[in-house]
Amino acid sequence: MVADAGGVRAAGRPSRSARARARAVAVTSFPPPPAAIKGRQHELRALAAALRRAPDAPIVLLGGGGTGKSLLACALGHRVARHHPGGIHWFRAGVWDHRTLLEMLALHFGAPRASDGCGLRATLATRARTFIVLDNHENDRAMARLLETLRGCPVTWLLTARRCLLSGVSIFPVVAPLAMGARPAFPRVAGLTALLRWNPLALDIADALVGSRAVAANRLRRWLLERGAERVAVMDDEDDVVEVRLLVDWAWTRLPAGARRMMAVLAHGQGDHIGAPSLRVLSGAGAQAAGFLRRLRRWRLVQEPLKDRYALHAVVRRAVARRTRFSQARFFAHYARLLERRPDLLEIEQSNLFAAMDHAHQVSSLGASLRIERLLERL
């Protein structure tokens, strides 16, 4: 995701109009403050203090899938925004290589696009202190090159990752909130807390299922036990969180086919989020799309990082992707046509544009690459 709550002048006190624009962007672009963040106040205070002491030292929020790293990063960004007149910004790093990351940041900050990052470095150097979140970091080599290229710029870096083999960063472990105190974060499903290993994402979904009266807590517990929730097993990867996968399995057979198709689209999309109109078209949900989305939101299976734009948590995404298929060529065709017709959407669809560019490179299509390059030139 690319998000920005900045845009103020680098030197001196920002003008009133600039501050108004920054506030407007903050409301519409940066992920909104979490409605509830349970058991994290001590961590927020500790992280804010660490940023004040050493603003140039990158911090990595490190923890397993579903432990609340992104939520904590979002809450922290809003907490420290007033100390970053250059704005607070959000990017999903994922597995992108360093050249793609540099180009994404350059486009976002209005810097010259250069493979060595010199234009971006010069642009950031002239801004007031800026706070940047690089969410879901997965490529250590690319991240090391990016951070070294931009070292010395007045930027406070915050990364989230499930694993990290970087030196020169401060690691901040993230575990399930309230777990150490043995207090349930979700009282409605307190009896499932230990079975779901205190995983905040699993408990949040279970709480939604029980709260919406889709299933009683005791029946859900019995179902989970029958499917081996308490057994020790090998995970396929960091995102294969069994407790979440089983809850997705429970919901999957009870969702309408159109809602399942929507989840498949979200699971295989390579951008940060998908707008409701695109989701409706790509899933073929038609006029029923709004109803399907209401069901998915009520069960907390989808996230809405920006208004009317949807995504899956990486762990839910993994659980859905393993049981579905969706053609990347369809994503390319949809977004290429959409952005050629609606260039005003280029900024909000930037990550989907980069995903289309990646697809064009993978299939070695010169025609597709030229289409994307023409769109990039409009940014």
Side-chain angles (χ1 to χ4, degrees):
M1 176 171 56
V2 179
D4 177 4
V8 298
R9 294 178 298 183
R13 181 176 175 81
S15 69
R16 181 177 300 177
S17 61
R19 293 197 301 273
R21 286 196 302 273
R23 286 195 297 272
V25 172
V27 170
T28 58
S29 296
F30 196 81
I37 182 161
K38 303 179 179 182
R40 297 290 195 194
Q41 293 308 315
H42 174 73
E43 291 164 294
L44 282 171
R45 287 192 294 270
L47 284 164
L51 294 180
R52 287 194 300 272
R53 287 193 303 270
D56 294 321
I59 290 179
V60 180
L61 303 184
L62 186 67
T67 51
K69 301 179 296 295
S70 298
L71 192 71
L72 184 58
C74 179
L76 180 63
H78 285 281
R79 188 182 185 107
V80 303
R82 66 184 183 277
H83 302 303
H84 293 82
I88 56 176
H89 309 258
W90 187 290
F91 300 84
R92 184 173 69 89
V95 297
W96 296 121
D97 64 26
H98 77 284
R99 289 180 294 271
T100 301
L101 290 172
L102 285 169
E103 188 162 9
M104 285 178 66
L105 269 68
L107 286 168
H108 178 71
F109 288 109
R113 292 165 57 196
S115 60
D116 61 0
C118 60
L120 175 60
R121 181 181 175 84
T123 297
L124 289 175
T126 65
R127 293 176 64 92
R129 178 155 293 277
T130 301
F131 181 84
I132 296 179
V133 174
L134 298 173
D135 190 37
N136 196 29
H137 151 61
E138 298 183 46
N139 188 332
D140 290 321
R141 193 175 299 277
M143 189 59 64
R145 294 190 65 174
L146 173 75
L147 295 179
E148 273 300 289
T149 298
L150 302 177
R151 186 158 58 93
C153 294
V155 175
T156 299
W157 299 98
L158 181 71
L159 285 61
T160 72
R162 295 180 303 281
R163 54 171 293 283
C164 180
L165 297 177
L166 293 172
S167 64
V169 302
S170 298
I171 300 295
F172 191 97
V174 178
V175 298
L178 306 180
M180 304 308 292
R183 290 186 291 135
F186 296 86
R188 185 158 43 198
V189 289
L192 298 176
T193 302
L195 181 62
L196 295 177
R197 309 295 188 276
W198 299 88
N199 184 283
L201 177 62
L203 287 166
D204 189 47
I205 296 173
D207 182 72
L209 296 177
V210 173
S212 65
R213 299 186 178 180
V215 63
N218 59 342
R219 292 187 64 182
L220 183 58
R221 176 182 177 81
R222 187 162 58 248
W223 188 92
L224 290 167
L225 287 170
E226 289 171 355
R227 278 139 185 93
E230 63 180 355
R231 298 174 193 157
V232 177
V234 177
M235 295 162 49
D236 291 340
D237 52 51
E238 296 95 336
D239 283 333
D240 182 29
V241 179
V242 173
E243 295 80 14
V244 175
R245 172 162 38 95
L246 287 175
L247 291 168
V248 171
D249 288 347
W250 185 95
W252 190 260
T253 58
R254 293 160 176 84
L255 286 169
R260 295 198 297 267
R261 291 197 302 273
M262 282 186 154
M263 291 192 72
V265 170
L266 292 171
H268 292 280
Q270 299 302 303
D272 295 341
H273 38 65
I274 296 178
S278 290
L279 187 55
R280 182 178 65 250
V281 170
L282 288 165
S283 67
Q288 295 179 290
F292 295 150
L293 276 171
R294 281 194 297 272
R295 172 79 73 89
L296 293 172
R297 291 177 65 187
R298 187 164 60 245
W299 286 2
R300 299 177 199 156
L301 294 171
V302 299
Q303 299 176 333
E304 190 178 6
L306 301 174
K307 183 174 173 53
D308 294 329
R309 299 193 67 82
Y310 298 92
L312 299 182
H313 188 284
V315 176
V316 175
R317 178 189 181 102
R318 176 71 172 79
V320 175
R322 66 187 297 155
R323 64 191 306 156
T324 59
R325 299 286 184 274
F326 199 89
S327 168
Q328 293 301 313
R330 286 185 62 190
F331 281 116
F332 178 90
H334 173 79
Y335 281 107
R337 285 196 302 266
L338 174 66
L339 295 174
E340 286 167 348
R341 189 174 70 253
R342 293 283 309 277
D344 57 301
L345 297 177
L346 279 165
E347 182 66 29
I348 193 67
E349 299 290 1
Q350 191 177 122
S351 66
N352 289 310
L353 178 60
F354 273 92
M357 179 178 69
D358 190 57
H359 173 74
H361 290 165
Q362 286 185 11
V363 299
S364 301
S365 169
L366 177 60
S369 296
L370 290 174
R371 285 180 77 182
I372 299 304
E373 188 60 33
R374 286 193 291 270
L375 288 169
L376 286 170
E377 289 172 355
R378 297 188 184 188
L379 274 170

